[in-house]
């Protein structure tokens, strides 16, 4: 009885936190790649900048991570509920509870989620804008792999009895 309760708690925590954490980490990473001046430089006035100090860099990364966490709530939770949980239940039933399997399913769910988002916002409908969304489109599968890996680590479906 106690073991079942712990498995349910791990499953609930994994569903609640992994989309937010994964999207926040990917958003901070994307900020460093796409707009490094917003992270590593501080604007003094409209024409002068200086290198950012470590606390300023951390504050910028935290801000980008918070924005990514918000996207994790808006995009990640529906993707987790519509794609991740049914896939988890199916994988547990089939006995395929390895990390790689979860990572591949996470990449697929993340890709579909990002394609739906980009089609809904109109970025893929215009040819010139479609060229600029490469890093954003790639962030879907990367976030999916990270979220699925974190889910696998928290829920631990390969240990003990299968998670319900």
């Amino acid at each position: 009885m106690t073991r079942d309760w712990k498995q349910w708690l791990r499953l609930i925590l994994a569903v609640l936190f992994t989309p937010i954490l994964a999207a926040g980490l990917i958003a901070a990473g994307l900020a460093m790649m796409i707009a490094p001046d917003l992270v590593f430089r501080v604007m003094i006035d409209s024409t002068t900048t200086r290198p950012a100090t470590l606390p300023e860099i951390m504050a910028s990364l935290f801000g980008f991570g918070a924005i990514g966490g918000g996207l994790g709530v808006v995009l990640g939770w529906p993707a987790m509920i519509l794609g991740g949980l049914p896939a988890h239940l199916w994988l547990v039933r089939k006995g395929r509870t390895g990390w790689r399997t979860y990572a591949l399913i996470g990449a697929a769910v993340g890709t579909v989620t990002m394609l739906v988002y980009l089609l809904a916002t109109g970025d893929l409908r215009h040819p010139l804008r479609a060229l600029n969304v490469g890093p954003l489109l790639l962030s879907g599968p990367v976030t999916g792999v990270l979220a699925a890996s974190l889910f696998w680590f928290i829920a631990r479906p390969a240990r003990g009895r299968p998670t319900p």
Side-chain angles (χ1 to χ4, degrees):
M1 177 75 175
T2 305
R3 187 163 175 80
D4 290 337
W5 180 80
K6 288 180 181 179
Q7 287 177 334
W8 276 104
L9 180 64
R10 281 197 308 266
L11 181 65
I12 290 168
L13 289 175
V15 168
L16 289 178
F17 292 117
T18 57
I20 297 170
L21 184 59
L25 289 172
I26 296 300
L30 272 176
M32 288 190 290
M33 289 189 309
I34 294 175
D37 286 344
L38 293 177
V39 176
F40 299 112
R41 302 213 44 95
V42 174
M43 188 172 278
I44 297 171
D45 57 33
S46 62
T47 58
T48 311
T49 62
R50 66 168 173 78
T53 63
L54 185 60
E56 292 167 338
I57 293 171
M58 297 310 289
S60 292
L61 291 176
F62 181 79
F64 284 110
I67 292 169
L71 283 174
V73 168
V74 173
L75 297 174
W77 277 348
M80 175 69 79
I81 297 209
L82 296 175
L85 274 178
H88 167 69
L89 294 174
W90 180 71
L91 290 172
V92 167
R93 222 175 305 126
K94 292 288 184 184
R96 307 270 324 224
T97 56
W99 169 78
R100 281 187 221 134
T101 309
Y102 275 75
L104 286 172
I105 298 255
V109 170
T111 301
V112 169
T113 302
M114 191 52 73
L115 282 173
V116 168
Y117 172 73
L118 291 174
L119 285 171
T121 59
D123 281 340
L124 289 180
R125 291 186 210 147
H126 304 288
L128 292 178
R129 274 197 241 157
L131 296 174
N132 294 329
V133 297
L136 293 177
L137 185 59
L138 185 62
S139 71
V142 172
T143 304
V145 167
L146 182 59
S149 299
L150 290 170
F151 179 89
W152 180 84
F153 181 73
I154 293 171
R156 296 190 293 196
R159 298 179 95 194
R161 290 178 19 208
T163 306

